[in-house]
Amino acid sequence: MTTTIVLDCDPGIDDALAIAFAHGHPGVELAGITTVAGNVGLARTTRNALSVADFVGATTVPVAAGCATPLLRPALDASSVHGETGLGGAVLPDSARGPEGEHAVDFLIRTLGAAPGEITLVATGPLTNIAMAVRREPRLTEWARDFVIMGGSAGRGNMTPAAEYNIWADPEAAAIVFDAGWTVRMIGLDVTLRALATPPIRERMGTLGRLGATLLLPSLAEYHDLPDPAVHDVCAVVSVAVPEVFGYTAASVAVETTGRLTSGMTVTEFNPATLPNASVATDIDVNRFWDMVLRTYQALADTLG
Ligand code: BDR
Ligand code: CA
């Protein structure tokens, strides 16, 4: 069975790897990519989304550019982690095409509205576009088949001791999104910090032709995340392709927006007195994860030469 997705992202090294996985996995149909400012500025995340999509052969997947700044806060970036271009050491040709002539927020509303209940929305960047979209069109929460994010943590953060980067970057947007009335599938640091591209994994990537040599390895080589970088955003798309790779726990998640030291924290209550608003990934089968990701990349690499 194939699941159609729209991917809202801020490429970003692990976002780029998530685009490659989404295009390569036979169980995922990539209906569109929307971009947001996050790891680098919007012009760059959009340019990167286009060049990564074209490089992996997703040349007809539309890319729509979205919000250039968080809802209320100044734009900050993570170029110290992802490099000046946002793709670490990977250098891809610029796409010959440009983004759609439609704003990402309009694209999301139109695309999900045209197929209610059929398209899963996956967000791997700050939640600015999604917050704008649900405020403009609250029925988006009914139209999305599922809504999956890479973001947050039931435990510690990575940007601050309390906050994960995507939530920290635009906490007001994240608060709107978690309170919108749908169930957020939160693929957070609790599991993504276990999806590490260790030396044996990178060795396998080295056998993947142009995909390995031009995108996977050079981007990861300059990914200043952890000594063995975590491919956070790939986890979100994997949870669509093969949900059983993760274990999930129902929870009530509230986003801290005012804390001096805790802004962006996803305060997670696993025994909520009220109805849960989230399904939080709390377990990952790491061997199955990498087996599937590398098999998908292998099949994609075979088509790229
Ligand atoms: C998240 O932050 C970004 O830097 C990554 O692309 C990922 O989406 C991890 O905290
Ligand atoms: Ca990201």
Side-chain angles (χ1 to χ4, degrees):
M1 202 194 59
T2 304
T3 305
T4 303
I5 70 167
V6 172
L7 179 62
D8 185 74
C9 58
D10 63 335
I13 294 167
D14 53 335
D15 302 82
L17 270 53
I19 293 171
F21 177 83
H23 180 63
H25 195 281
V28 177
E29 165 89 30
L30 190 51
I33 298 172
T34 51
T35 57
V36 65
N39 287 321
V40 283
L42 181 69
R44 203 67 231 203
T45 59
T46 305
R47 184 171 159 187
N48 290 345
L50 283 161
S51 55
V52 171
D54 285 6
F55 176 74
V56 300
T59 50
T60 58
V61 173
V63 174
C67 297
T69 56
L71 292 186
L72 301 180
R73 304 186 183 216
L76 299 167
D77 71 29
S79 54
S80 59
V81 176
H82 293 260
E84 281 306 312
T85 69
L87 292 181
V91 181
L92 301 181
D94 274 334
S95 174
R97 60 190 176 123
E100 302 296 291
E102 186 181 28
H103 192 280
V105 172
D106 297 321
F107 179 91
L108 289 169
I109 293 170
R110 184 179 56 76
T111 306
L112 273 79
E118 288 176 22
I119 300 177
T120 290
L121 184 53
V122 182
T124 61
L127 293 165
T128 322
N129 289 340
I130 312 295
M132 293 280 281
V134 295
R135 275 289 159 94
R136 272 265 311 279
E137 177 46 271
R139 287 176 298 175
L140 194 80
T141 61
E142 296 156 29
W143 293 341
R145 174 174 163 179
D146 283 308
F147 175 53
V148 183
I149 68 163
M150 187 284 129
S153 167
R156 290 174 65 85
N158 59 353
M159 186 62 207
T160 70
E164 181 281 328
Y165 181 77
N166 288 336
I167 309 297
W168 172 88
D170 194 347
E172 286 77 17
I176 289 170
V177 167
F178 272 97
D179 288 347
W182 51 7
T183 299
V184 180
R185 193 188 308 164
M186 178 172 123
I187 311 293
L189 299 177
D190 315 286
V191 290
T192 67
L193 284 175
R194 296 175 58 198
L196 303 176
T198 57
I201 300 291
R202 300 204 296 274
E203 207 169 296
R204 295 263 309 271
M205 289 175 173
T207 67
L208 299 179
R210 285 177 61 228
L211 179 65
T214 310
L215 177 60
L216 306 178
L217 288 179
S219 63
L220 289 171
E222 301 282 321
Y223 187 17
H224 304 294
D225 179 45
L226 297 168
D228 288 338
V231 293
H232 307 279
D233 294 342
V234 181
C235 296
V237 186
V238 167
S239 96
V240 175
V242 188
E244 317 81 72
V245 167
F246 300 94
Y248 308 87
T249 308
S252 171
V253 175
V255 179
E256 175 61 80
T257 56
T258 56
R260 187 170 61 87
L261 301 174
T262 52
S263 179
M265 182 176 183
T266 39
V267 180
T268 304
E269 170 60 80
F270 283 116
N271 290 307
T274 52
L275 273 183
N277 65 346
S279 174
V280 175
T282 44
D283 197 14
I284 174 174
D285 183 337
V286 178
N287 290 335
R288 191 166 172 196
F289 173 85
W290 277 117
D291 187 49
M292 211 237 316
V293 170
L294 290 170
R295 266 193 293 121
T296 302
Y297 285 157
Q298 177 70 66
L300 179 61
D302 291 345
T303 69
L304 300 183

